[in-house]
Amino acid sequence: MSTIAESDHKVLRRDYRLTGPEAVIAQERGLVSADWYQSPVPRKRMKELMQRSDAPAIRDTVIWLVLLMATGWMAHLLWGTWWSLPVFIVYGVLYGTVGDSRWHEGGHGTAFKTSWMNTAVYHLGSFMMTREPVSWRWSHARHHSDTIIVGRDPEIAVQRPTAIWRLLLLFTGLPQVIAEFRKLIPNCVGRLTAEEADYLPASERNKAILAARIHVLIWVAAITASIMVGSVEPLMLVGLPTLYGRWMATVYGLTQHAGLAEDVLDHRLSARTVTMNRVNRFLYWNMNFHVEHHMFPTVAFHALPALHEEVRADMPAPYNGLLGAYREIIPALIRQANDPTYFVQRPVPQVVLAS
Amino acid sequence: MTMAWVDVCAAEGIDAEDVLRFDYEDRTYALYRTEDNRYFATDGLCTHARVHLADGFVSGTTIECPKHNGRFDVTNGKAKGAPATVDLGCYPVEVRDGRVRISLSSEGTG
């Protein structure tokens, strides 16, 4: 296990850019593409846990898409009445929150056994979350290589010191979508941002540009449809749910790493596993087992509960639900607004420290 | 050219549909056994992020990298999609007298 002592934090306001000096510092400290701690799991058992199956993901995807279409149709029928409001809230979460977990699992290629199904769900989730699918695949690979390593990880949701207003805006989806359009628009005219150029290999750049153009075209079609019918309804069904439906994805997403240690090579110190009920685990596709997911990304969402049981003796105790996690996250982020060196120290089982 | 065969393990020393790490001199390799008992060998590190493939997942004739889920065809080393975009080197394998041997006389082809 590697950690950086608090005395090493010479710069209070850290530079999270992938092209800044912290990227060089991370390299010098041996934090780039490093060897991470893994809980011991016998190879035979690991092979069982890595097995793929189409059935759980097909079942969940059918339920998801049927609910999405049913609530979308109901929202259309109720358009113009206050009754449409609760229906749009549900539709929005199915689109702008569930789209996130499906994007994630499809991207790893583990949700389904059949490859094209993973690809299809990944692209659908990518559009729903306003994420250009090619560069985000590479961004997420970097997140797994260098998880919460400052200057390397492009997916650190809450940077220190905490900007409280920006943090609150994450629940509206505005910062995420604006940041994405700042990439999509240059991509459409054939340019990559400096950050994209840092993690996207040359062979993938034209694919990213094509995907960005397709995404923007769909947005243009939805906007055109709204103008033609003289109503925002088409955009409320395609496009805008990425904003008004994203709040729950942010609720889930902040539990993953917020407030925990940066620059450590042990996922138990920089990620959270949170117990959740069946509804949340369906919406979030078991990503509440986040330490386990980072430690063993080849294990599909449906096998994460079994993996959790396999390694639980080597893990810090999981948080008791979203409330249990936020009892820690909220005070930690408030404290980090004034003290960027502060982080929550997770208790790692002693037996492992001694081994 | 005469091939220099290097002994790796007993044919039964690797499970069906699994992968085994094999270090020789200063390099590391991955040996695969498919479900229908064919054996293949490739470079041992993923071409994307230099992770040992022997910790990965074998499904059919595909090896999946344990870190980023990059996938390769073990029969020819071909990368099957992002983030694996560079092929693995491949090495001839033979089973003789119950032992698996691979030829390391040249750079892997792939």
Side-chain angles (χ1 to χ4, degrees):
Chain A
M1 183 184 71
S2 299
T3 61
I4 290 177
E6 200 164 300
S7 58
D8 282 347
H9 287 278
K10 291 171 183 154
V11 182
L12 290 183
R13 185 177 290 276
R14 304 197 65 180
D15 186 340
Y16 288 81
R17 291 174 302 153
L18 306 188
T19 53
E22 294 262 13
V24 179
I25 294 169
Q27 186 88 46
E28 289 169 354
R29 285 177 166 162
L31 296 171
V32 176
S33 298
D35 290 329
W36 286 68
Y37 176 78
Q38 271 195 334
S39 297
V41 179
R43 174 74 186 167
K44 190 170 182 299
R45 178 63 178 140
M46 200 63 220
K47 277 178 65 180
E48 293 169 357
L49 291 165
M50 289 191 290
Q51 290 303 315
R52 303 292 155 76
S53 170
D54 282 332
I58 288 176
R59 176 200 64 206
D60 287 0
T61 303
V62 167
I63 293 170
W64 172 45
L65 293 179
V66 166
L67 286 173
L68 192 72
M69 287 187 283
T71 51
W73 182 245
M74 279 176 66
H76 168 69
L77 294 178
L78 295 168
W79 180 253
T81 74
W82 284 105
W83 291 108
S84 68
L85 186 65
V87 180
F88 269 113
I89 289 172
V90 176
Y91 177 80
V93 167
L94 290 167
Y95 184 121
T97 288
V98 180
D100 181 48
S101 58
R102 274 53 180 175
W103 163 84
H104 180 264
E105 291 303 285
H108 277 282
T110 53
F112 300 86
K113 185 173 185 177
T114 306
S115 179
W116 70 262
M117 295 183 188
N118 286 311
T119 304
V121 166
Y122 178 66
H123 281 279
L124 179 62
S126 294
F127 179 77
M128 287 175 163
M129 302 311 296
T130 320
R131 290 175 187 151
E132 185 279 291
V134 178
S135 64
W136 270 90
R137 191 186 289 279
W138 288 88
S139 154
H140 198 64
R142 174 70 72 83
H143 172 62
H144 272 268
S145 287
D146 303 324
T147 310
I148 319 297
I149 303 295
V150 178
R152 290 290 300 176
D153 185 348
E155 297 182 10
I156 300 179
V158 187
Q159 302 177 354
R160 303 183 205 165
T162 313
I164 299 291
W165 279 108
R166 187 187 180 282
L167 174 64
L168 293 174
L169 280 173
L170 289 178
F171 292 91
T172 70
L174 278 170
Q176 300 96 313
V177 172
I178 289 170
E180 190 63 18
F181 269 92
R182 282 183 173 159
K183 291 190 291 183
L184 283 174
I185 300 303
N187 287 173
C188 280
V189 295
R191 289 203 319 265
L192 297 175
T193 66
E195 302 266 305
E196 286 176 307
D198 191 59
Y199 53 74
L200 200 58
S203 63
E204 300 292 296
R205 294 179 181 181
N206 284 339
K207 294 178 194 169
I209 287 165
L210 175 64
R213 287 172 178 165
I214 292 170
H215 274 211
V216 169
L217 269 178
I218 299 172
W219 273 93
V220 168
I223 292 167
T224 304
S226 280
I227 292 170
M228 288 180 71
V229 300
S231 164
V232 77
E233 187 194 345
L235 271 169
M236 285 292 285
L237 291 169
V238 176
L240 291 181
T242 197
L243 293 170
Y244 73 77
R246 192 184 288 248
W247 59 277
M248 196 64 195
T250 304
V251 170
Y252 292 142
L254 288 178
T255 68
Q256 295 178 358
H257 308 284
L260 298 178
E262 295 172 336
D263 299 340
V264 293
L265 300 179
D266 187 336
H267 295 296
R268 299 173 303 173
L269 303 175
S270 60
R272 278 186 191 82
T273 285
V274 181
T275 58
M276 288 187 185
N277 62 40
R278 288 180 71 86
V279 173
N280 281 322
R281 289 203 287 117
F282 167 77
L283 299 177
Y284 194 28
W285 250 11
N286 283 342
M287 273 306 107
N288 52 304
F289 298 107
H290 212 66
V291 181
E292 292 84 349
H293 165 66
H294 266 281
M295 205 178 268
F296 300 103
T298 46
V299 175
F301 77 97
H302 53 80
L304 284 174
L307 174 62
H308 172 69
E309 291 304 320
E310 186 70 32
V311 297
R312 74 180 303 153
D314 195 34
M315 292 279 164
Y319 292 78
N320 187 14
L322 284 167
L323 278 178
Y326 275 90
R327 278 195 194 103
E328 176 181 274
I329 294 167
I330 292 170
L333 294 183
I334 290 171
R335 185 164 169 187
Q336 285 178 343
N338 295 314
D339 179 6
T341 64
Y342 172 75
F343 59 91
V344 175
Q345 301 197 41
R346 298 290 284 141
V348 174
Q350 289 300 308
V351 62
V352 172
L353 284 174
S355 66
Chain B
M1 191 178 86
T2 306
M3 287 187 174
W5 292 97
V6 178
D7 185 77
V8 179
C9 65
E12 295 303 316
I14 174 173
D15 290 341
E17 210 169 31
D18 204 359
V19 55
L20 186 74
R21 175 175 168 178
F22 172 61
D23 294 336
Y24 184 75
E25 296 182 339
D26 58 348
R27 294 192 64 176
T28 186
Y29 305 88
L31 176 72
Y32 310 91
R33 178 180 173 184
T34 61
E35 206 162 21
D36 56 357
N37 293 320
R38 291 181 295 153
Y39 293 81
F40 299 94
T42 69
D43 291 324
L45 298 175
C46 176
T47 56
H48 163 238
R50 313 284 299 163
V51 175
H52 281 284
L53 292 169
D55 294 326
F57 174 55
V58 179
S59 177
T61 56
T62 299
I63 175 70
E64 181 178 306
C65 170
K67 188 80 173 173
H68 306 98
N69 310 93
R71 294 169 181 86
F72 301 89
D73 185 332
V74 304
T75 67
N76 55 22
K78 294 286 182 197
K80 298 180 78 170
T85 54
V86 177
D87 298 344
L88 294 165
C90 290
Y91 303 88
V93 180
E94 69 168 17
V95 179
R96 178 174 291 190
D97 301 328
R99 304 289 301 177
V100 183
R101 308 191 309 166
I102 67 176
S103 172
L104 305 176
S105 57
S106 60
E107 289 295 306
T109 56

